[in-house]
Amino acid sequence: MKSAVVVFPGTNRERDMVRALERASGRHPALVFHKDTEIPPVDLIVLPGGFAHGDYLRAGAMAARSPVMREVIARAEAGVPVLGVCNGFQVLTETGLLPGALLRNAHLRFVCRTVTLRVENPQTLFTGRFAAGETFDTPVAHMDGNYFIDDEGHRRLADNGQIAFRYVAGGAPGEANPNGALDDIAGVFNESKTVLGLMPHPEDATDPLHGGTDGRKLFDGIVEALA
Amino acid sequence: MKARVHVTLKPGVLDPQGKAIEHALDTLGFGGIEEVRQGKVIELTLAESDPQAARSKVEEMCRKLLANTVIENYAIDLEA
Amino acid sequence: MKARVHVTLKPGVLDPQGKAIEHALDTLGFGGIEEVRQGKVIELTLAESDPQAARSKVEEMCRKLLANTVIENYAIDLEA
Amino acid sequence: MTEITPEIVAEHGLTPQEYDKVLEILGRQPNLVELGIFSVMWSEHCSYKSSKRWLKTLPTEGPQVIQGPGENAGVVDLGDGLAAVFKIESHNHPSFIEPYQGAATGVGGILRDVFTMGARPVMNLNALRFGAPDHPKTRHLVSGVVAGIGGYGNCVGVPTVAGEVNFHPAYNGNILVNAMTVGLAPADRIFYAKAVGAGNPVVYVGSKTGRDGIHGATMASAEFGADSEEKRPTVQVGDPFTEKLLIEACLELMATDAIVGIQDMGAAGLTSSSFEMASKGGMGVELDLDLVPLREAGMTPYEIMLSESQERMLMVLKPGREDEARAIFEKWDLDFAVIGQLTESGRMVLRWHGETVAELPIDPLAQAAPEYDRPWDEPEPAVELDERALPAEGDPLGALERLLVSPDLASRRWIWEQYDHLVGGDTVERPGGDAGVVRVAEGPKGIAATVDCTPRYCLADPRSGGAQAVAEAWRNLNAVGALPLAITNNLNFGNPEKPKIMGQIVGCVQGMGEAAAALGTPVVSGNVSLYNETDGQAILPTPVVGGVGLVPDVALVTGIGFPGDGLEIVVIGATQGHLGRSIYLREILGREEGAAPPLDLAAERRHGDFVRGLIHGGKIAACHDVSDGGLLVALAEMALAGNRGCSLAVPAGESALAGWLFGEDQARYIVVAEAALPILEAAEMAGVPAQAVGATGGSELQLEGYGHTSLARLRSLHEGWLPGLMGGDLVGAAE
Ligand SMILES: Nc1ncnc2c1ncn2[C@@H]1O[C@H](COP(=O)(O)OP(=O)(O)O)[C@@H](O)[C@H]1O
Ligand SMILES: [Mg+2]
């Protein structure tokens, strides 16, 4: 599987992501800079975590309008799978590739801790290695992860299997839902399930030293689907 | 010419900051507060001096960047 | 009664957000922007109906919570 | 031109004697710009005039030391061509005035000190001291400081992996915010602040200069009065996004050989950075202030030279390399301006609008910086606590519960969950253990780091308290399996012009020096923050020690949590039951008195080496040092971390129970292993006291003869206190 990781000014989890992709695919992803207007031919485009443009104005807002994103949108519309993690998820909602928006955490604090996720739709190219309802642990680290969507959008997500993961009880002490997200939503797909955005960081749960390797299933599944 | 853009959350969108302020004001002993909403105000100083042209330019900025119309409304005030 | 509080950075205080917005608008091809500053607007719905009393109450809220007077100024507008 | 009156001199924090020296050096009256420069260069903050005499006594050398004090940060060798670059710095006064921005810019400042030397920052730590939990300002300060530290470090993408927090009324009017950064650099590519080569261009990069924090350095050097909040100086606002770009751009340029010298603009901004660089290289410098990128119109040379705007650096480049450097900074959307050059003159010449606005001799000004041997009182020895006169402890588990919810022992999770402690994907030990550990260069090596100080001991006995801070850092590093390499320190004290306070400084520095020598951890960098007093009330003496160690293989790192059932628990080190100055004495008996626990540095070293050997030999499954709260608290922490209970046999008689369970004897660790016996035997061979005390298992903490308490209950108490305190999170700006 060939992949590309997009780096905006202020992105800071690109290395974590690169290593997770390497572990799963055995190949080094291409790094693409925000000013680039071309992306090499790849099977997967990844928007990693961080604070693109400082997350000033709104998380992901400025990154969503950078030159490289025009190409990302074009590829996504042509069916190339896109994965956005944390800041990457925020960027994807700002471009409209994913529905909804990510508001400030309900408690207004940054939150970094391990959470437990439940897989809500295992029949996608991203989640094929999981069973329906399977739970796994992964860290979160964000300030704006409070997923919001209006009632009608919410209904459509639910009806169409677009809710990818929900926060459930299990992880560290504290509430299961770390940010107040509507309906405990941690990640969503686009309508055709070729774009996935999620707040947690599966890439930081791929090495025994991370304290758990549950995140590998996600990456291994993607590699398997796209090989 | 100066433009002031107010960006506010649409009614019905949860406003964690507004909620927190409401709660804090309450804790500080301020009673009689029915609702608090927090928004952004963005002040732009423009070279443009024609109000009509300035407004349409700022409109475009709002649609393209300043507001996320999935969750936010915006309003523009111009000052000479 | 509604009160609208504008909280803005004092002149001279660095405004990283405003700076970044300015830069982003520039990159999007909007020329002729001389300065951008970002502030907050807080809308309060109060039970109080007397303008005088409302204003002095909101004044106090600003000093105690809404504005950080070390780096911010505030202005209050009342609407009936 | 402004007439320089005695009032103006005094406003600049210079004494009449110091001003006489100014006149002597210049042979004329200074103008205002020049006076401003003298004022910041000779401030306590920049000149260390009260502490220098004592700092010189600290051990700073060792085979592992690549760079000791005197540069932006210290550098130690990690082997394999790698070096750790680290320093700690205070941002106490600004954080009290504006907690979010004060703490945030503190983190920004220490990050710059580290990447200035060519290192990529890989871990942040912080040591915080707040007033009494119920003081009306405390919640607001805690909430702002923690959010500010997180806001900056999280955005820049450096994991915050460890720290410490104390609450005490002595900090009501002066909180302490000490931030530490550890970076990783190639050992043969360290960058220094020394500028050489006449004609070489002086280059300004980063953010524009505004009117921020003018006189921050002098503010950090003056005592607070009740009116300080009124006189609020312009507070600096941090821009972590720009800092992140600055890190990337600087490291990119550092990969070339274009840089001659580089220095961040910290306190006293352009003045101290240009002065220090020229002074170190024995050069002169000429700056054209019209070329400095400015944020505001109408700034004067005085303001330009004294501004403390953040996220700026000064560099001297090799001639002809400007374009190459400019391209990198422009790629990252940062300002870049050649603002002057080095000269042979040995003088600093500032030009503005075609005129010379200041001309100062560099060396005489640096050499003549005041240095005081301030009078100091030998601290009075604390009276030993008569432990036999204490009431017998009839309810040890009840006492444990009360200790676990006490301000200094309750869980800090509420704080460190606001710090991104995982970014980078290399965090091996998260906050909550003994030291933070980060894997470096794809492993197997790692760096461990910790910050420690026990101010209540320092108050009782500055000398032993200063030593204890070093010993505790040493212990925390050993406990994760790191070989301690070196330390940095942040000396936080009251007004040094008072002999009593000066006596605390002298004692703590002496103790720190003795311990650093005995434990083989030289001091390679540090920071001094004096005048932490409000209305004559000084803080507790707080000489914070930041320790850095090498983990040879991160796979060997031991955590504090009990990893399984049926493991045997061994205490390394002698338990004598010293209760003087303990948390037990303060929290359970309401007394802050007695002598600090005695410290035996030779034993400390022996026990530490022994424990590290066990870890490297793969002989133990978990390890925790015993510190605040004593043995039972340490065991409870291990049980909670592993979510597994234990049972404990109490060898002591009823009368000595409290001392055995809660005494704070030094040089102790708890280790757990499959079997105690081999460890006891090895300890005996090594001349190290060791005692088997119990075994792990179950969901309760059981104290034979005294009943049990459930982990669930302990957890809810331990985890509940800080969130409970901070409950009404958003506390008023002006509260
Ligand atoms: N300000 C802080 N930032 C990050 N971690 C912290 C902070 N304060 C405390 N911690 C973490 O909480 C744990 C307990 O702190 P402390 O009791 O001071 O440890 P120790 O007794 O081992 O020095 C440690 O892992 C420490 O790193
Ligand atoms: Mg410890």
Side-chain angles (χ1 to χ4, degrees):
Chain A
M1 183 196 71
K2 281 186 278 183
S3 59
V5 173
V6 182
V7 179
F8 303 99
T11 294
N12 64 27
R13 261 186 167 82
E14 70 273 23
R15 228 166 64 91
D16 312 37
M17 184 57 78
V18 163
R19 287 192 288 177
L21 290 166
E22 280 171 354
R23 276 176 200 125
S25 71
R27 302 179 74 141
H28 188 72
L31 287 179
V32 182
F33 200 51
H34 71 125
K35 288 180 187 168
D36 294 345
T37 47
E38 275 176 39
I39 300 176
V42 290
D43 308 308
L44 174 75
I45 298 172
V46 184
L47 311 188
F51 285 76
H53 296 273
D55 274 357
Y56 297 149
L57 188 64
R58 293 182 308 278
M62 296 186 205
R65 277 103 187 143
S66 53
V68 73
M69 283 310 293
R70 261 169 269 160
E71 183 61 18
V72 172
I73 293 168
R75 293 283 183 91
E77 282 168 352
V80 174
V82 177
L83 169 67
V85 167
C86 196
N87 201 216
F89 184 15
Q90 294 158 344
V91 174
L92 290 174
T93 60
E94 279 281 341
T95 58
L97 283 176
L98 288 175
L102 291 146
L103 305 174
R104 180 70 22 120
N105 294 345
H107 46 64
L108 305 186
R109 281 178 271 125
F110 187 96
V111 60
C112 178
R113 75 152 91 114
T114 300
V115 299
T116 302
L117 300 182
R118 185 175 63 211
V119 180
E120 303 293 356
N121 181 354
Q123 278 146 349
T124 73
L125 69 95
F126 297 99
T127 48
R129 281 271 177 113
F130 294 100
E134 183 173 342
T135 61
F136 67 105
D137 288 352
T138 157
V140 290
H142 58 250
M143 189 73 188
D144 300 271
N146 184 349
Y147 186 76
F148 175 83
I149 190 163
D150 61 21
D151 289 344
E152 201 201 310
H154 185 202
R155 214 169 307 124
R156 251 184 287 140
L157 282 186
D159 292 348
N160 192 31
Q162 283 176 258
I163 299 175
F165 307 109
R166 280 198 176 86
Y167 303 107
V168 293
E175 283 167 43
N177 178 338
N179 50 37
L182 180 88
D183 195 17
D184 298 327
I185 292 174
V188 300
F189 299 111
N190 64 345
E191 258 182 56
S192 57
K193 325 285 187 309
T194 53
V195 178
L196 166 64
L198 73 164
M199 285 315 297
H201 289 283
E203 75 279 18
D204 282 340
T206 55
D207 183 327
L209 287 175
H210 291 151
T213 56
D214 286 7
R216 279 195 180 172
K217 263 195 174 171
L218 183 83
F219 292 98
D220 290 347
I222 296 171
V223 171
E224 192 171 64
L226 299 179
Chain B
M1 161 148 263
K2 290 206 174 201
R4 223 185 208 202
V5 178
H6 279 97
V7 181
T8 47
L9 285 171
K10 288 184 174 171
V13 177
L14 172 79
D15 174 10
Q17 272 123 326
K19 270 251 169 63
I21 294 173
E22 204 175 308
H23 178 79
L25 286 173
D26 200 62
T27 316
L28 288 174
F30 290 100
I33 298 167
E34 283 158 16
E35 203 193 357
V36 182
R37 302 281 288 174
Q38 178 174 319
K40 281 184 276 228
V41 51
I42 298 159
E43 294 173 341
L44 302 138
T45 313
L46 304 170
E48 183 63 63
S49 60
D50 173 56
Q52 194 108 27
R55 179 174 296 273
S56 84
K57 204 163 163 179
V58 176
E59 275 276 355
E60 202 189 331
M61 292 178 194
C62 288
R63 280 196 316 269
K64 283 212 175 147
L65 178 72
L66 301 182
N68 175 352
T69 51
V70 174
I71 45 169
E72 293 170 330
N73 289 327
Y74 59 88
I76 301 168
D77 286 327
L78 289 182
E79 288 162 40
Chain C
M1 161 147 266
K2 289 207 174 199
R4 221 188 209 199
V5 178
H6 277 98
V7 181
T8 48
L9 284 169
K10 288 185 177 169
V13 175
L14 174 70
D15 177 8
Q17 309 240 11
K19 207 174 70 173
I21 295 171
E22 199 176 316
H23 183 80
L25 288 173
D26 200 63
T27 316
L28 287 176
F30 291 100
I33 299 167
E34 283 157 17
E35 202 192 357
V36 180
R37 304 279 287 173
Q38 180 178 320
K40 278 186 287 214
V41 52
I42 298 159
E43 295 172 341
L44 302 139
T45 313
L46 305 170
E48 183 62 66
S49 60
D50 173 53
Q52 195 109 23
R55 177 174 296 273
S56 83
K57 202 164 164 180
V58 176
E59 271 279 340
E60 201 190 331
M61 293 178 193
C62 286
R63 282 195 315 271
K64 284 213 174 147
L65 179 76
L66 303 181
N68 177 351
T69 52
V70 180
I71 49 174
E72 294 171 330
N73 289 327
Y74 59 87
I76 301 169
D77 287 328
L78 290 181
E79 287 161 42
Chain D
M1 203 176 91
T2 316
E3 175 69 23
I4 305 296
T5 61
E7 289 73 43
I8 291 184
V9 171
E11 269 172 32
H12 281 78
L14 292 172
T15 65
Q17 294 80 353
E18 288 169 353
Y19 187 62
D20 285 343
K21 235 194 231 171
V22 171
L23 296 176
E24 192 185 306
I25 288 173
L26 290 184
R28 62 176 165 84
Q29 266 210 359
N31 62 33
L32 195 61
V33 181
E34 293 167 336
L35 183 71
I37 292 175
F38 270 100
S39 143
V40 294
M41 291 307 297
W42 287 4
S43 68
E44 189 68 57
H45 192 86
C46 294
S47 74
Y48 293 93
K49 57 191 171 192
S50 301
S51 56
K52 205 194 274 174
R53 171 183 184 318
W54 297 101
L55 293 179
K56 283 182 196 157
T57 65
L58 292 170
T60 59
E61 284 167 14
Q64 73 276 41
V65 177
I66 295 176
Q67 174 66 52
E71 277 288 338
N72 284 303
V75 185
V76 296
D77 198 350
L78 298 174
D80 300 336
L82 298 172
V85 178
F86 63 98
K87 183 172 185 284
I88 191 167
E89 188 148 271
S90 63
H91 232 210
N92 302 336
H93 294 75
S95 300
F96 186 75
I97 292 168
E98 210 311 279
Y100 185 96
Q101 295 298 343
T105 51
V107 173
I110 192 62
L111 284 167
R112 282 193 295 286
D113 273 332
V114 166
F115 73 76
T116 303
M117 301 208 60
R120 178 174 284 279
V122 296
M123 61 210 294
N124 278 340
L125 299 90
N126 57 97
L128 311 177
R129 305 273 166 345
F130 297 105
D134 58 358
H135 186 274
K137 277 202 165 79
T138 297
R139 287 199 308 155
H140 165 60
L141 291 169
V142 172
S143 147
V145 164
V146 171
I149 290 172
Y152 207 100
N154 299 346
C155 182
V156 166
V158 177
T160 300
V161 294
E164 60 167 357
V165 188
N166 286 162
F167 295 87
H168 194 280
Y171 303 101
N172 281 350
N174 292 81
I175 61 169
L176 301 182
V177 176
N178 296 174
M180 173 172 167
T181 295
V182 186
L184 183 71
D188 59 351
R189 293 197 53 76
I190 306 294
F191 288 80
Y192 297 99
K194 184 167 155 186
V196 291
N200 281 350
V202 176
V203 175
Y204 171 118
V205 297
S207 284
K208 291 181 174 25
T209 296
R211 291 190 173 96
D212 313 73
I214 291 173
H215 271 182
T218 33
M219 170 175 77
S221 308
E223 195 177 319
F224 266 23
D227 60 346
S228 297
E229 272 173 275
E230 302 310 315
K231 278 195 274 174
R232 280 166 177 165
T234 341
V235 168
Q236 301 121 274
V237 169
D239 180 358
F241 170 58
T242 297
E243 179 106 334
K244 166 75 172 156
L245 303 185
L246 198 54
I247 294 177
E248 299 305 332
C250 286
L251 292 177
E252 194 171 323
L253 181 60
M254 284 162 166
T256 74
D257 62 348
I259 298 176
V260 174
I262 177 164
Q263 163 84 20
D264 67 297
M265 292 191 224
L270 191 50
T271 295
S272 70
S273 55
S274 55
F275 232 95
E276 278 168 25
M277 276 176 69
S279 165
K280 286 202 168 118
M283 303 296 298
V285 61
E286 228 174 78
L287 301 180
D288 185 346
L289 301 184
D290 296 301
L291 301 175
V292 173
L294 298 180
R295 200 167 77 219
E296 292 177 67
M299 286 185 67
T300 64
Y302 180 91
E303 291 170 325
I304 295 170
M305 288 308 289
L306 299 190
S307 160
E308 295 194 346
S309 290
Q310 302 288 296
E311 293 93 19
R312 303 178 301 161
M313 311 277 270
L314 200 66
M315 315 185 293
V316 171
L317 296 181
K318 290 185 182 160
R321 308 297 292 272
E322 295 91 323
D323 289 344
E324 181 184 349
R326 182 188 304 275
I328 291 174
F329 285 86
E330 283 178 355
K331 169 179 144 198
W332 290 101
D333 293 319
L334 294 164
D335 270 290
F336 177 100
V338 177
I339 62 167
Q341 68 208 34
L342 296 183
T343 66
E344 300 279 13
S345 72
R347 301 176 81 76
M348 168 180 264
V349 179
L350 305 180
R351 293 194 210 288
W352 189 62
H353 293 3
E355 280 175 38
T356 298
V357 292
E359 179 162 7
L360 299 166
I362 289 175
D363 236 27
L365 197 156
Q367 299 300 321
E371 185 178 330
Y372 297 124
D373 187 359
R374 298 201 187 274
W376 55 284
D377 290 344
E378 185 73 50
E380 278 178 36
V383 182
E384 280 288 348
L385 180 75
D386 180 3
E387 294 180 1
R388 286 156 313 168
L390 297 179
E393 179 54 71
D395 179 18
L397 290 172
L400 171 67
E401 292 179 357
R402 283 169 66 195
L403 289 177
L404 289 179
V405 293
S406 69
D408 280 351
L409 292 178
S411 167
R412 271 63 177 127
R413 179 184 300 276
W414 185 91
I415 292 175
W416 51 254
E417 280 193 348
Q418 294 186 58
Y419 302 150
D420 190 339
H421 44 267
L422 300 176
V423 58
D426 282 315
T427 302
V428 180
E429 263 299 292
R430 308 180 183 199
D434 283 325
V437 180
V438 166
R439 171 178 56 191
V440 297
E442 306 295 331
K445 285 188 174 177
I447 305 179
T450 176
V451 282
D452 294 282
C453 179
T454 313
R456 59 204 146 84
Y457 298 168
C458 298
L459 183 70
D461 180 348
R463 194 163 181 145
S464 108
Q468 193 274 343
V470 179
E472 184 163 351
W474 151 271
R475 238 174 273 151
N476 278 322
L477 294 173
N478 289 321
V480 296
L483 173 68
L485 290 176
I487 60 173
T488 180
N489 71 95
N490 206 134
L491 303 176
N492 305 278
F493 292 91
N495 182 348
E497 294 161 42
K498 297 179 182 168
K500 180 167 169 254
I501 301 288
M502 198 61 219
Q504 294 175 343
I505 299 174
V506 172
C508 285
V509 172
Q510 285 173 336
M512 188 178 279
E514 283 159 13
L519 300 176
T521 54
V523 178
V524 295
S525 58
N527 179 252
V528 179
S529 170
L530 303 179
Y531 298 96
N532 291 291
E533 296 200 4
T534 294
D535 298 331
Q537 282 298 108
I539 58 163
L540 301 182
T542 314
V544 173
V545 167
V548 168
L550 171 69
V551 176
D553 181 352
V554 289
L556 292 172
V557 167
T558 47
I560 71 168
F562 290 148
D565 289 341
L567 300 172
E568 298 199 283
I569 303 170
V570 176
V571 178
I572 306 294
T575 299
Q576 250 118 30
H578 185 96
L579 283 172
R581 296 288 156 171
S582 66
I583 296 215
Y584 174 85
L585 189 68
R586 184 177 79 196
E587 297 295 331
I588 305 297
L589 302 176
R591 295 161 60 174
E592 293 187 55
E593 60 188 89
L599 200 64
D600 174 347
L601 292 170
E604 197 70 69
R605 181 153 195 161
R606 212 163 43 241
H607 303 182
D609 289 343
F610 176 71
V611 166
R612 189 181 340 104
L614 291 178
I615 295 172
H616 290 180
K619 302 251 187 322
I620 54 176
C623 180
H624 189 17
D625 71 308
V626 180
S627 59
D628 298 348
L631 201 57
L632 194 57
V633 167
L635 276 170
E637 288 168 351
M638 297 178 84
L640 290 172
N643 200 20
R644 216 175 286 274
C646 64
S647 69
L648 187 64
V650 183
E654 188 95 17
S655 66
L657 184 65
W660 196 81
L661 291 174
F662 303 113
E664 297 182 2
D665 309 294
Q666 300 294 293
R668 290 187 300 161
Y669 303 77
I670 298 173
V671 301
V672 306
E674 290 290 336
L677 193 61
I679 294 186
L680 298 176
E681 285 170 359
E684 187 163 0
M685 296 269 291
V688 172
Q691 187 177 21
V693 298
T696 66
S699 57
E700 324 228 280
L701 200 149
Q702 205 160 5
L703 201 55
E704 279 170 28
Y706 298 92
H708 53 80
T709 176
S710 77
L711 283 191
R713 177 175 162 78
L714 291 182
R715 184 181 311 284
S716 84
L717 291 168
H718 186 57
E719 295 292 349
W721 183 79
L722 194 48
L725 175 71
M726 299 308 295
D729 236 339
L730 188 74
V731 191
E735 256 306 271

